[in-house]
Amino acid sequence: MTIQELLGCVQEEGGRWKVTSRERTNLEFKEQGDDNALRKCLKTIAGFANGRGGSIIFGVSDRPRYVVGIEEFLDEADVQNLLLTSLYPIPDFEIIEHDIGSHRVCELKVFSHSKKPIIAIKDVQTKGAKNKTVLSQGVVYARRAGQTKPISGEEFGRLMELRDNNTRNSVLSVLSRANEIGFDNVAVADFRKYGRSDENVTLWVPEASAKELNIIDRAKLVEEKGAPAYQIRGQIKLTVPSDKDPRKPLLPRKAARVLKEPIQKGFGSWFPWTDQHLRKAAVHLGFWDDPKGDGKNTGFEEMSERPLYYEAGRAAIQRFANRNPDDFVEVVGSKETQKKWEAVKAAHAENTP
């Protein structure tokens, strides 16, 4: 669907684009794109993430509704920081700029979250002489027919039911996969308790398999609601495919961290770089044309159904940044990042004899 189709744009005499679409469960409009406008959208972002996702379009006037565009575009880092300090878990989003006639609008696309509910973790006010509370701590928001309101008891119960179903399906999927490869060959990793999710874990290994590990002296034998198994804490990862895989797969956050130093070495420490930027570069290069990756540059961890970045893909993204820096910034950078990059190049040119 094009942006014109999403907005229901109709061009009137004189060239103005009238918006015929109404705000609905997955669509909202804002005229401004400044910090206060973003703060006012926090409820909506939470509501979209708690539902099936949706888009907020900045640059559309209200009553009458026309495409007016905005001059200042949302900065991805600013959006990420605001969500990080306001909502938990952090909603996933994407910022997309669109041209409609002579105007440019900004779409903040929010994805349905897999670990609902999203909850407000602090009160948030607008800035200025007349501060207004736009987010209330402890409230879960839902989207209904173009409005965002605190969730009802019935809606909350439904969210928890869906979450339980997702957990149940995930467990059944793991058990099904374990049945295929044999339960005696299965290791279960608990990523919840020790450090960040892609680093310190607890690994539960069958006794027969544990005897073959060369780190067994760092483990202890435990028996908890079942047969004895080894509990290992520390820098352990679920290695059944990764350690033996010559493609050297990494999860998105780890892959982004590995690339962060060489990327910022080329652009400067100011250059924003996260797993979301990594994803944009990979999508641009065609590595995710297949949702499960292309098998060479990207892939999919079957057991946990998480995306992977192989060494070849990481190297290709780094080459893209080194050889075509302007194109790279255009692909992964926000409007603000692109402006700063142009300023950095201009300053470098002035200082170069």
Side-chain angles (χ1 to χ4, degrees):
M1 179 182 292
T2 66
I3 186 65
Q4 286 88 348
E5 291 172 334
L6 178 64
L7 303 186
C9 285
V10 176
Q11 191 169 22
E12 297 182 337
E13 293 184 9
R16 291 201 305 173
W17 288 92
K18 183 176 179 61
V19 175
T20 62
S21 293
R22 296 181 177 181
E23 292 184 329
R24 52 183 185 264
T25 305
N26 64 345
L27 184 63
E28 181 157 316
F29 302 115
K30 292 294 180 184
E31 184 168 350
Q32 304 297 326
D34 56 13
D35 181 64
N36 274 339
L38 180 60
R39 286 168 175 259
K40 292 176 182 178
C41 291
L42 283 171
K43 289 181 182 178
T44 301
I45 293 171
F48 283 163
N50 281 327
R52 296 182 178 179
S55 292
I56 305 171
I57 310 298
F58 297 85
V60 176
S61 66
D62 190 23
R63 299 180 184 178
R65 207 178 294 283
Y66 283 98
V67 175
V68 295
I70 56 175
E71 295 181 1
E72 295 295 329
F73 294 90
L74 304 178
D75 183 84
E76 187 172 333
D78 292 339
V79 177
Q80 183 75 18
N81 289 337
L82 183 60
L83 297 184
L84 179 66
T85 57
S86 305
L87 301 172
Y88 183 83
I90 305 172
D92 296 318
F93 68 93
E94 181 180 4
I95 297 175
I96 310 170
E97 296 175 13
H98 303 278
D99 290 318
I100 302 177
S102 60
H103 298 295
R104 177 163 287 192
V105 300
C106 188
E107 176 184 6
L108 179 60
K109 188 173 183 179
V110 182
F111 299 96
S112 177
H113 207 281
S114 61
K115 295 182 179 179
K116 305 177 180 69
I118 308 297
I119 188 170
I121 58 175
K122 64 178 290 189
D123 291 339
V124 177
Q125 293 82 29
T126 55
K127 296 180 179 179
K130 296 181 179 180
N131 293 344
K132 179 182 179 182
T133 299
V134 291
L135 191 77
S136 299
Q137 181 179 3
V139 177
V140 176
Y141 294 95
R143 186 76 174 167
R144 309 187 204 104
Q147 293 185 323
T148 306
K149 296 181 178 180
I151 201 168
S152 67
E154 182 178 352
E155 289 170 325
F156 187 82
R158 177 58 179 162
L159 273 186
M160 299 311 295
E161 180 182 349
L162 289 173
R163 183 168 181 168
D164 289 344
N165 286 339
N166 290 337
T167 301
R168 185 181 302 109
N169 291 335
S170 177
V171 171
L172 291 175
S173 175
V174 171
L175 291 176
S176 176
R177 176 63 176 155
N179 184 56
E180 292 175 6
I181 66 176
F183 284 93
D184 290 341
N185 299 318
V186 172
V188 179
D190 183 354
F191 291 88
R192 299 170 301 170
K193 299 179 180 178
Y194 306 106
R196 290 174 290 196
S197 62
D198 58 351
E199 292 184 349
N200 296 330
V201 303
T202 298
L203 185 65
W204 300 87
V205 187
E207 185 173 3
S209 301
K211 291 178 181 178
E212 299 177 2
L213 295 177
N214 59 6
I215 53 171
I216 201 63
D217 59 321
R218 302 170 66 182
K220 66 177 181 177
L221 186 65
V222 297
E223 184 172 356
E224 182 177 321
K225 298 181 181 179
Y230 283 98
Q231 180 187 38
I232 305 170
R233 299 186 183 185
Q235 299 291 331
I236 310 295
K237 295 180 175 62
L238 189 60
T239 59
V240 174
S242 60
D243 273 9
K244 298 180 180 178
D245 192 333
R247 297 171 296 183
K248 299 181 180 179
L250 293 178
L251 295 172
R253 290 185 181 179
K254 182 62 178 293
R257 287 205 299 272
V258 167
L259 285 175
K260 187 171 184 177
E261 182 176 349
I263 292 292
Q264 292 189 336
K265 183 178 180 181
F267 293 98
S269 59
W270 62 271
F271 192 79
W273 182 253
T274 65
D275 54 318
Q276 291 189 23
H277 300 97
L278 174 70
R279 179 81 181 195
K280 288 182 179 180
V283 168
H284 176 78
L285 294 174
F287 296 166
W288 289 112
D289 289 347
D290 186 314
K292 292 193 174 183
D294 61 10
K296 176 184 177 182
N297 301 288
T298 56
F300 204 67
E301 191 176 74
E302 293 294 339
M303 182 72 80
S304 62
E305 298 185 346
R306 292 180 298 180
L308 296 170
Y309 288 85
Y310 299 131
E311 186 176 44
R314 302 193 299 269
I317 290 171
Q318 187 174 336
R319 285 196 301 272
F320 178 29
N322 293 340
R323 296 176 181 177
N324 307 97
D326 291 344
D327 293 341
F328 184 80
V329 173
E330 185 177 352
V331 167
V332 308
S334 64
K335 197 71 175 179
E336 187 64 30
T337 299
Q338 294 175 34
K339 288 181 180 178
K340 189 165 184 177
W341 173 239
E342 292 299 324
V344 168
K345 289 195 301 179
H348 178 73
E350 290 180 0
N351 296 326
T352 301

